[in-house]
């Protein structure tokens, strides 16, 4: 009986006072669509394909990203330019299959594919989740500076020196 | 006669509209305050700081599909929302909002109906509301609604006894059921019935929370346990009517508590109507505050609490009050 009275007349007002004090604290949530929460520096969002500083594509369509992809979300078909440079004719990522593990980024020997900070790519149609090369490649000229620090910002010198035609074997 | 009809009609119209607007913006206030209590921001997009949220809600509700289950008992199904909605608004008719004012050379009582059995009328209307809930629970022929309706009606009937008994102490001291006279008796703060009848006030508070199906007694629509209670099968504005009815009940209960226990429109400096509004909103804030603080009762706890704790205390309160009145 005494315990019950103590609960009613001490515990409940005490708890309610805590809630009242809480009203004057700053909310912990952010005003989302207008204010975006800070992202973790290593956040893995929507992919993008990087370019060299001269604007040419980095991806050589080696297939390592597709091979390393545990969800089998990457599809690519290679082709060659008239200068004999290999590139990806078709490069598609199914973002519905993708688990955003970042293995493609780790596997890439050309520093071509990265997982960005973009996460607002919801759509009401499945087909919109097949991201083609047009969607993935960064715009050129760049609209904003690259987020990526490259180990190898320039093309290999040997390639630059071969002026015209196929390189001689 | 015509003059009386016109004045009463205008008063009724104004009270009804003010009540509906209050209900709408109480939902907004509740969501905002509750959000702040839970460290969230709450609705803030529609209009300045989200003040137009109730209008957005209304538009949304009106444009939703008005669905009637195939197996429903149609007449009752259509009648139920009205039965829940209308009795919730009627008690406001007897509640005085202020003293008399002079308008166009006439003395106007700020009460729709100066009615001798006001308090009894309020209790009767609160009981009527249960019919709406029972009908809403039974008519759609759905087991979830039925269970919700059963729970709800059982709870409301149990706590109505406590509600009535908590007011009897006040009635005995006041010697009247007329709410206008009741307010006039509470001219100084020491005459407020919350001072004379503190136990009665606490009992009224608890029973009112249960009576309006609000947390911690919100079992009828316990979101985490039931599908949605008695209004599971309702959609569109029919659901909206239940929703508004619930908030109208809250406002009514606040108004009754203000009138009976907190001195009604009596208060210094400020105009009487403002005092009434301030007290009502303090009570409504308390509703929200409790919702933010206390967890829900279990069903057996609820029943046990109602029958074995509240009603005996209410009876003892009546007995002691009666002794004082007698001596």
């Amino acid at each position: 009986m005494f315990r019950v009275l103590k609960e009613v007349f001490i515990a409940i007002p005490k708890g309610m006072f805590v809630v009242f004090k809480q009203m004057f604290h700053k909310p912990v949530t952010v005003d989302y669509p207008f204010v975006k929460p800070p992202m973790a520096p290593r956040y893995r969002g929507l992919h993008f394909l990087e370019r060299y500083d001269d604007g040419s594509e980095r991806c050589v369509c080696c297939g390592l990203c597709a091979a390393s992809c545990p969800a089998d979300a990457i599809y690519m078909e290679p082709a060659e330019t008239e200068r004999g440079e290999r590139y990806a004719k078709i490069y598609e990522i199914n973002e519905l299959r993708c688990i955003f593990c970042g293995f493609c980024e780790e596997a890439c020997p050309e520093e071509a594919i990265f997982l960005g900070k973009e996460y607002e790519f919801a759509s009401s149609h499945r087909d919109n989740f097949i991201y083609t090369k047009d969607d993935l490649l960064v715009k050129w000229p760049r609209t904003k500076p690259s987020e990526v620090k490259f180990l190898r910002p320039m093309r290999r010198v040997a390639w630059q020196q071969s002026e015209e035609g196929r390189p001689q074997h | 006669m015509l003059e009386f009809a016109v004045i009463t009609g205008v008063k009724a119209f104004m009270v009804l509209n003010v009540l509906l607007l209050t209900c709408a913006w109480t939902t907004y206030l509740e969501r905002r305050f509750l959000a702040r209590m839970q460290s969230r921001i709450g609705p803030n997009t529609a209009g300045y700081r989200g003040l137009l949220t109730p209008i957005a809600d209304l538009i949304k509700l009106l444009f939703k599909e008005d669905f009637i289950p195939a197996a429903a008992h149609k007449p009752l199904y259509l009648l139920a929302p009205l039965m829940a909605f209308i009795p919730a608004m009627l008690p406001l008719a007897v509640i005085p909002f202020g003293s008399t004012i002079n308008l166009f050379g006439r003395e106007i009582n700020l009460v729709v109906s100066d009615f001798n059995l006001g308090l009894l009328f309020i209790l009767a209307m609160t009981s009527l509301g249960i019919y709406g809930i029972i009908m809403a629970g039974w008519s759609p022929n759905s087991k979830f609604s039925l269970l919700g309706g059963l729970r709800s009606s059982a709870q409301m009937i149990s706590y109505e006894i406590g509600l009535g008994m908590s007011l009897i102490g006040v009635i005995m001291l006041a010697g009247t059921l007329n709410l206008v006279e009741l307010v006039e008796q509470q001219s100084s703060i020491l005459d407020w019935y919350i001072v004379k009848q503190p136990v009665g006030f606490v009992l009224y508070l608890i029973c009112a929370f249960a009576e309006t199906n609000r947390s911690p007694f919100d079992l009828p629509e316990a979101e985490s346990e039931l599908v949605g209670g008695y209004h599971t099968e309702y959609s569109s504005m029919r659901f909206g009517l239940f929703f508004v009815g619930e908030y109208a009940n809250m406002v009514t209960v606040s108004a009754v508590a203000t009138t009976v226990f907190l001195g009604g429109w009596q208060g210094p400096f400020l105009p009487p109507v403002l005092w009434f509004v301030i007290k009502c909103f303090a009570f409504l804030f308390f509703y929200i505050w409790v919702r933010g603080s206390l967890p829900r009762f279990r069903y057996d706890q609820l029943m046990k609490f109602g029958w074995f704790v509240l009603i005996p205390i209410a009876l003892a309160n009546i007995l002691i009050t009666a002794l004082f009145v007698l001596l």
Side-chain angles (χ1 to χ4, degrees), chain B residues 94-97 119 122 170 178-184 186 192-193 252-266 276 279-280:
Chain B
V94 293
I95 285 168
F97 300 96
L119 213 49
I122 288 169
V170 176
N178 188 327
L179 289 168
V180 179
E181 284 174 33
L182 209 62
V183 172
E184 273 158 10
Q186 309 178 60
W192 288 12
Y193 283 108
T252 307
V253 159
S254 310
V256 173
T258 306
T259 312
V260 175
F261 289 103
L262 300 177
W265 43 263
Q266 305 266 18
F276 185 81
K279 285 170 182 172
C280 261

Side-chain angles (χ1 to χ4, degrees), chain A residues 12 16-17 19-20 22-31 34, chain B residues 33 36-41 44-45 285-286 289-290 292-294:
Chain A
I12 290 181
M16 289 186 66
F17 184 65
V19 173
F20 190 75
Q22 193 64 37
M23 277 186 68
F24 301 99
H25 290 191
K26 205 170 164 285
V28 293
T29 55
V30 296
D31 195 2
F34 311 112
Chain B
F33 279 129
R36 290 313 300 267
M37 286 169 189
Q38 297 165 350
S39 291
R40 297 183 284 119
I41 296 170
N44 64 345
T45 313
F285 173 74
F286 189 70
W289 185 11
V290 166
S293 309
L294 302 183

